[in-house]
Amino acid sequence: MMKVPLLDLKTQYNTIKDEILKTTAEIYESQQFILGPYVEKLEIEIASYCSTKYALGVSSGTDALLLSLMASGIGQGDSVITSPFTFFATAGSIVRAGAKPIFVDIDPNTYNISSEKISEKAYSMKSIERNALKAIMPVHLYGQCSEMDNIVEFAKKNNLLIIEDAAQAIGAEYNKKRAGSFGDLGCFSFFPSKNLGAFGDGGIITTNSSDFYEKMHTLRVHGSHPKYYHKYIGGNFRIDAIQAAIVSVKLKYLDEWTYARQNNAKNYKILFDKAGLTEKIILPFANENRHIYNQFVIKVPERRDELRKHLDNHGIGTEIYYPVPLHLQECFSYLGYKKGDMPYSEDAALNTIALPIYPELTEDMQIYVVEKIKEFY
Ligand SMILES: *Cc1c(COP(=O)(O)O)cnc(C)c1O
């Protein structure tokens, strides 16, 4: 039986091992673990990669979101529009900042928040509700940008901030612009399983605003500037120097890896076509925009969970991103949403499944995966 894991970080590590060990050894020798030159280097590199003026390394993607909200002054009494079909941290950080998430359903083709429904929702609000609305947090799910032209236009017209949850989308583009460069703030994650993963937790925030940059820079170290003089109540939001150095090494290979992911996606399309499965199975929506395939998620017509079990029995790793949309999570029940409120998100949660797409995946593995899916249906 062939083994096809959902992700294989070891194979990738082996290709860059020497460089990683050499770079991290320099940090061990210097014993400079907190901020410093490696963090600054990464910040410059990521700002350049995302075409923004600034980038600020932080402790995780989740903290990137929380720090962005804090820097925006969003808190008690405020609300933020976001997608219910995302990782928990998106809405979790809105609540942790003290604000209220307002969920708007997704576009069924891309699984990203629907820009039409954002304006529908905002225009249906009573004026008191409208006044509380401070920002939109679009999520570039699976490595594909949300419809940022419409979202940016709407936000400008209505004086709303945009905080992009680009945790899955480093290098993704919409109309030739990079994820993290559309909004006021762009939040990225270096969680190991992301396209650009650290060897532990880490994240970064991109921005073109010097005001936001300065404020976040201060908030990252407990709001102190100078040291021990606290202008704001911040926190410890620092990325480790070791993680920054590792991400710097990996960044050099990111475009190559992205190309391999895109190639795998094309290959899946050919294989699913050949197998006669494209009538039944809905492949990821693709157009001319740069999709970086953090995940390769297909929609299946029926018996998703049985299919998953079948694939697991044949050594193929899959995942469900995500089985419960956020508006139906127990911890958000106080928000008052119920089943049926976000039909497209609920449908996606029930009928989608992520297949292996990592750069080192071989063609034989892909053939095997499609064969096993054909066998099941
Ligand atoms: C991974 C992820 C996060 C959180 O990032 P961490 O680094 O794990 O804290 C937030 N939002 C989305 C959409 C993610 O995929």
Side-chain angles (χ1 to χ4, degrees):
M1 184 172 73
M2 199 183 271
K3 278 262 171 214
V4 188
L6 182 67
L7 189 64
D8 179 2
L9 291 171
K10 265 194 181 171
T11 301
Q12 183 168 88
Y13 173 56
N14 284 330
T15 67
I16 52 171
K17 191 170 179 171
D18 293 345
E19 219 176 328
I20 297 268
L21 292 177
K22 186 170 160 280
T23 308
T24 45
E26 284 168 24
I27 297 177
Y28 304 144
E29 288 307 318
S30 76
Q31 292 289 300
Q32 253 228 25
F33 298 114
I34 303 298
L35 298 177
Y38 282 98
V39 172
E40 285 167 26
K41 179 172 178 281
L42 178 69
E43 290 173 342
I44 290 167
E45 290 167 351
I46 294 284
S48 156
Y49 192 79
C50 297
S51 311
T52 57
K53 286 199 187 123
Y54 310 96
L56 187 87
V58 295
S59 27
S60 68
T62 303
D63 281 347
L65 294 167
L66 181 60
L67 187 56
S68 292
L69 289 157
M70 287 167 74
S72 303
I74 290 173
Q76 207 71 48
D78 299 331
S79 64
V80 178
I81 283 182
T82 195
S83 169
F85 193 55
T86 173
F87 178 58
F88 176 75
T90 314
S93 18
I94 295 170
V95 175
R96 286 174 67 201
K100 183 175 116 176
I102 296 180
F103 294 117
V104 164
D105 206 3
I106 56 171
D107 173 318
N109 298 307
T110 61
Y111 308 111
N112 280 325
I113 193 165
S114 153
S115 62
E116 273 167 39
K117 293 207 180 89
I118 292 177
S119 42
E120 261 169 43
K121 176 72 202 172
Y123 291 137
S124 76
M125 288 175 175
K126 297 193 197 91
S127 71
I128 188 163
E129 241 187 315
R130 267 293 280 290
N131 292 337
L133 181 62
K134 294 291 151 55
I136 302 172
M137 189 179 276
V139 183
H140 307 315
L141 202 69
Y142 307 146
Q144 182 169 54
C145 285
S146 297
E147 298 166 287
M148 292 313 288
D149 49 357
N150 293 344
I151 294 173
V152 168
E153 192 190 318
F154 179 81
K156 275 209 179 113
K157 210 159 76 185
N158 293 281
N159 208 14
L160 299 172
L161 291 169
I162 295 178
I163 301 171
E164 292 170 63
D165 183 342
Q168 302 182 3
I170 189 153
E173 291 178 1
Y174 189 85
N175 290 344
K176 306 271 180 246
K177 263 177 71 104
R178 289 255 151 134
S181 73
F182 297 96
D184 299 277
L185 298 149
C187 302
F188 295 89
S189 164
F190 300 135
F191 186 78
S193 70
K194 305 284 158 104
N195 281 23
L196 181 63
F199 287 9
D201 282 304
I204 205 158
I205 305 171
T206 52
T207 183
N208 283 313
S209 151
S210 58
D211 288 347
F212 271 128
Y213 174 75
E214 297 296 336
K215 188 165 184 191
M216 293 189 302
H217 199 270
T218 305
L219 284 170
R220 181 171 68 175
V221 287
H222 300 284
S224 77
H225 184 74
K227 203 173 180 182
Y228 305 129
Y229 291 79
H230 297 264
K231 191 173 160 102
Y232 318 109
I233 302 167
N236 175 353
F237 289 107
R238 296 181 296 255
I239 187 173
D240 282 331
I242 291 172
Q243 301 303 344
I246 289 167
V247 173
S248 259
V249 168
K250 291 179 88 176
L251 181 61
K252 291 189 286 184
Y253 301 93
L254 183 59
D255 284 331
E256 200 180 298
W257 292 334
T258 297
Y259 183 74
R261 285 173 182 270
Q262 291 168 333
N263 210 42
N264 291 343
K266 269 190 213 145
N267 212 17
Y268 267 134
K269 169 142 181 41
I270 292 168
L271 292 170
F272 275 112
D273 268 335
K274 257 201 227 157
L277 284 169
T278 34
E279 294 280 294
K280 275 190 162 241
I281 285 168
I282 301 171
L283 299 181
F285 176 82
N287 57 14
E288 69 290 352
N289 288 316
R290 191 174 197 239
H291 189 327
I292 61 146
Y293 291 101
N294 200 292
Q295 282 97 358
F296 186 87
V297 173
I298 62 171
K299 192 170 202 179
V300 297
E302 59 208 15
R303 295 183 293 146
R304 190 265 319 263
D305 296 333
E306 277 175 65
L307 169 68
R308 190 166 184 222
K309 205 155 177 220
H310 172 78
L311 295 177
D312 184 52
N313 289 339
H314 289 88
I316 299 167
T318 61
E319 189 50 271
I320 312 295
Y321 300 113
Y322 297 89
V324 182
L326 300 190
H327 68 289
L328 300 178
Q329 292 286 354
E330 187 180 344
C331 66
F332 292 144
S333 60
Y334 72 96
L335 292 168
Y337 292 94
K338 58 187 188 315
K339 230 181 186 156
D341 283 346
M342 309 278 147
Y344 290 126
S345 300
E346 292 166 33
D347 179 57
L350 281 178
N351 297 307
T352 57
I353 182 167
L355 303 179
I357 186 77
Y358 61 92
E360 297 78 14
L361 188 73
T362 66
E363 184 163 7
D364 284 347
M365 288 167 149
Q366 289 192 278
I367 290 170
Y368 179 71
V369 170
V370 175
E371 218 173 70
K372 290 296 151 197
I373 294 175
K374 189 182 164 87
E375 188 181 285
F376 179 78
Y377 283 117

